[in-house]
Amino acid sequence: MKEEKIIVPANGYLMLFLFVLLFSGSIVGIAVLKTGWPVFTMVISLALAFGFLMVQPNGSRVLLLFGKYVGTVKKNGFYWVNPFYTKKKISLRASNFDSERLKVNDKLGNPVMISTILVWRVQNTYKAAFDVDNYENFVRVQTDAAVRKLASMYPYDNFADEGVDEDITLRSSVNEVSNALEKEIDERLTIAGIEVLEARIGYLAYSNEIANAMLKRQQATAIVAARHKIVEGAVSMVEMAIEQLNEKQVVDLDEERKAAMVSNLMVVLCGDRDASPVLNTGTLNH
């Protein structure tokens, strides 16, 4: 047998009644008959007691008879099975796995620290019990392997200044990366009968040896982008100012004075600090 087989054993309460009846009858027989024959009945009743089985909600018991797979009990309740059955308990509840922070290289070769949070549960008890040695350890090892592979497929972030502009990155494409991770882990855990309910990145950061350098790089990129916007806005404001002055004929500016005004406005608008104006109480020429 290579597939899971669901069985429903005998009612445990009926067998419990028979056990109590046989056991108490044996005791009464020993006391009344004063012989040893009721001892055999007591031994049989005690042997029957090893067949009682209780299955809790979202639990299961895998049954073996001398190494042969008999079936799996998934329905919760109180049952009785062959006392010679070996009963292996496997939980069907959803489990959380928070992996350790792994040091891996992204697509660009940058070392990053990454961990994942996985929600999983056993779907096929036969595969979980017999196709892998330890299904819980199998989940941990295969999850770490999937995270390492995923990190090598995508860059940590985009670097447009170096011509690297990816559609999917580890930092910004959360949904896409989570879907890819879930698919990768699910393919690896199918052999163990494990169902992946959710997989997502739990921690993501540059490794310590490059974290400071990458932080400075991000700050520099942000400053350059901000300066670019400031210059665009300043040029637009200067153009608007000159147009308004010409339209309303507030002052007649030649090219030299216009250049001086543009220079002053650009310094004021693009400067890091507030400008300190100098009042001219003379003429425009001084």
Side-chain angles (χ1 to χ4, degrees):
M1 183 177 293
K2 298 296 183 181
E3 296 296 334
E4 183 183 58
K5 179 183 178 182
I6 307 300
I7 62 173
V8 179
N11 190 296
Y13 295 102
L14 177 60
M15 296 304 299
L16 180 62
F17 174 75
L18 294 177
F19 165 75
V20 173
L21 184 64
L22 287 174
F23 188 78
S24 59
S26 299
I27 295 176
V28 173
I30 294 174
V32 174
L33 300 177
K34 305 296 183 180
T35 63
W37 289 106
V39 175
F40 293 100
T41 308
M42 181 180 295
V43 172
I44 293 175
S45 63
L46 291 176
L48 293 177
F50 289 96
F52 290 113
L53 176 68
M54 183 179 295
V55 180
Q56 298 178 352
N58 285 326
S60 69
R61 291 292 183 94
V62 177
L63 305 179
L64 300 174
L65 180 60
F66 303 121
K68 181 181 179 180
Y69 175 67
V70 177
T72 302
V73 182
K74 287 187 174 181
K75 185 177 180 181
N76 62 294
F78 183 58
Y79 304 102
W80 183 87
V81 297
N82 190 329
F84 293 100
Y85 282 173
T86 301
K87 313 170 190 69
K88 185 174 182 179
K89 185 178 181 180
I90 295 181
S91 176
L92 303 180
R93 298 181 178 91
S95 301
N96 278 321
F97 171 59
D98 188 1
S99 69
E100 297 180 357
R101 296 178 181 179
L102 303 175
K103 183 178 179 181
V104 298
N105 293 330
D106 67 355
K107 185 177 180 180
L108 302 180
N110 297 319
V112 298
M113 301 297 295
I114 187 172
S115 69
T116 183
I117 297 176
L118 176 68
V119 182
W120 61 277
R121 67 183 175 189
V122 175
Q123 187 178 37
N124 189 310
T125 57
Y126 179 88
K127 292 182 177 181
F130 306 115
D131 284 355
V132 294
D133 182 41
N134 185 324
Y135 67 91
E136 293 181 345
N137 184 64
F138 186 83
V139 170
R140 291 192 291 268
V141 174
Q142 293 300 321
T143 299
D144 290 345
V147 171
R148 292 181 183 276
K149 180 180 178 181
L150 179 81
S152 65
M153 294 171 57
Y154 305 107
Y156 179 91
D157 204 353
N158 279 320
F159 297 103
D161 55 337
E162 294 184 358
V164 180
D165 190 9
E166 297 283 346
D167 294 332
I168 300 178
T169 63
L170 296 175
R171 186 183 67 85
S172 59
S173 306
V174 178
N175 294 331
E176 292 81 358
V177 172
S178 296
N179 292 335
L181 178 62
E182 182 176 335
K183 182 179 179 181
E184 180 68 23
I185 298 177
D186 185 67
E187 291 177 356
R188 293 171 178 266
L189 299 184
T190 300
I191 186 177
I194 304 296
E195 178 187 7
V196 177
L197 302 178
E198 183 184 5
R200 63 182 184 275
I201 301 297
Y203 178 85
L204 180 65
Y206 281 114
S207 185
N208 292 333
E209 59 264 29
I210 67 168
N212 291 332
M214 287 301 178
L215 178 60
K216 293 179 180 179
R217 179 191 180 94
Q218 292 175 353
Q219 292 174 344
T221 302
I223 291 173
V224 170
R227 287 292 183 183
H228 183 72
K229 291 294 183 181
I230 291 174
V231 170
E232 287 184 353
V235 171
S236 176
M237 294 176 66
V238 169
E239 290 179 350
M240 181 178 64
I242 294 176
E243 290 178 359
Q244 291 290 331
L245 290 174
N246 290 334
E247 289 179 1
K248 297 182 179 181
Q249 297 181 353
V250 175
V251 62
D252 187 13
L253 300 175
D254 56 18
E255 293 300 324
E256 182 178 355
R257 294 173 180 173
K258 187 182 298 184
M261 186 185 71
V262 169
S263 176
N264 294 334
L265 288 176
M266 291 296 294
V267 170
V268 172
L269 295 174
C270 298
D272 290 334
R273 301 178 181 178
D274 295 336
S276 299
V278 177
L279 298 179
N280 187 1
T281 58
T283 65
L284 293 176
N285 296 326
H286 295 89

